[in-house]
Amino acid sequence: GAGVSQSPSNKVTEKGKDVELRCDPISGHTALYWYRQSLGQGLEFLIYFQGNSAPDKSGLPSDRFSAERTGGSVSTLTIQRTQQEDSAVYLCASSLVGWAIPQPGELFFGEGSRLTVL
Amino acid sequence: GQQLNQSPQSMFIQEGEDVSMNCTSSSIFNTWLWYKQDPGEGPVLLIALYKAGELTSNGRLTAQFGITRKDSFLNISASIPSDVGIYFCAGLAYNTDKLIFGTGTRLQVFP
């Protein structure tokens, strides 16, 4: 499709297991963002990629969280040793360019990956 | 994580009524954005504001970039059932790539 694609759409896992969430941005978009949305909460910034590099990882909640992006395209968010408080919807967004320019590119969001940790 | 203060948290209104919501920050932002999220979907951009004092409309939606650059407002006139959803403000500080979102306003419209 033409939009941002995320998988899996739903993931139920047991506490302590590792999970990988995938984001396929819109083709040609250089900037990629990960956000977390807990139940009834706003969007919490996790990490931002420009190309394959991550200039800002300040939002990652702990060292159990990591993310990478390869080929300037697909990104994977990995959560190790999941905890119940990790349960949330993880949203990925991409834009044609990053924001630190006079005309920021519009952010296009995927539908999210809903993670439930039992 | 860092979030903007957005109010009200939720609104229950009758079809045809006008709606106002706002977002405040302790920091100055150079860009303010307003998004809408439908159930099971990602947020979609409604309005973007780039200058202090700017007032921009998109159909029945009007948003303003506060003069202090620390707040923004969104108004929806003559609400309809399809306006139901969660509205988020988002701000971008100068020369950064981190878009900070508000806590959201959940809107319910009754016919």
Side-chain angles (χ1 to χ4, degrees):
Chain A
V4 176
S5 177
Q6 290 188 247
S7 63
S9 55
N10 274 288
K11 175 73 175 178
V12 180
T13 189
E14 292 180 348
K15 178 182 173 181
K17 296 284 178 84
D18 297 350
V19 296
E20 282 191 354
L21 307 177
R22 175 189 167 107
C23 174
D24 216 327
I26 293 173
S27 178
H29 279 195
T30 59
L32 187 148
Y33 301 76
W34 283 99
Y35 287 87
R36 179 167 71 175
Q37 185 175 24
S38 302
L39 186 63
Q41 300 293 313
L43 277 67
E44 177 187 1
F45 171 85
L46 297 179
I47 189 170
Y48 156 74
F49 286 93
Q50 181 62 261
N52 290 335
S53 65
D56 192 339
K57 304 180 183 178
S58 62
L60 295 177
S62 73
D63 58 9
R64 296 186 295 105
F65 286 72
S66 62
E68 64 174 14
R69 189 179 185 194
T70 55
S73 181
V74 173
S75 176
T76 302
L77 177 68
T78 302
I79 309 172
Q80 296 178 309
R81 306 180 302 281
T82 52
Q83 303 294 313
Q84 288 183 332
E85 61 262 28
D86 298 335
S87 297
V89 175
Y90 289 82
L91 288 161
C92 174
S94 70
S95 69
L96 190 57
V97 293
W99 289 93
I101 60 169
Q103 287 292 328
E106 180 177 343
L107 219 59
F108 293 86
F109 281 86
E111 294 186 348
S113 292
R114 181 176 296 277
L115 174 66
T116 303
V117 182
L118 301 177
Chain B
Q2 184 181 358
Q3 289 186 326
L4 301 172
N5 296 316
Q6 190 172 341
S7 65
Q9 189 174 23
S10 60
M11 301 183 74
F12 299 85
I13 64 169
Q14 198 144 20
E15 184 176 358
E17 289 185 3
D18 296 344
V19 172
S20 290
M21 60 190 77
N22 69 78
C23 201
T24 60
S25 167
S26 56
S27 306
I28 289 176
F29 286 108
N30 276 20
T31 299
W32 282 97
L33 306 165
W34 285 92
Y35 284 82
K36 183 193 177 194
Q37 184 179 30
D38 291 326
E41 310 259 337
V44 174
L45 183 66
L46 298 174
I47 291 180
L49 302 159
Y50 301 114
K51 294 180 182 178
E54 181 179 355
L55 187 70
T56 298
S57 293
N58 178 7
R60 294 178 295 106
L61 276 62
T62 301
Q64 183 161 26
F65 191 141
I67 290 293
T68 65
R69 296 165 68 192
K70 292 184 177 180
D71 56 12
S72 180
F73 306 88
L74 175 69
N75 295 318
I76 305 173
S77 62
S79 58
I80 59 178
S82 61
D83 290 335
V84 166
I86 304 176
Y87 291 80
F88 291 102
C89 63
L92 185 71
Y94 177 75
N95 206 30
T96 72
D97 293 301
K98 185 191 298 185
L99 191 61
I100 304 299
F101 280 79
T103 47
T105 295
R106 187 179 296 272
L107 178 64
Q108 287 281 8
V109 180
F110 296 100

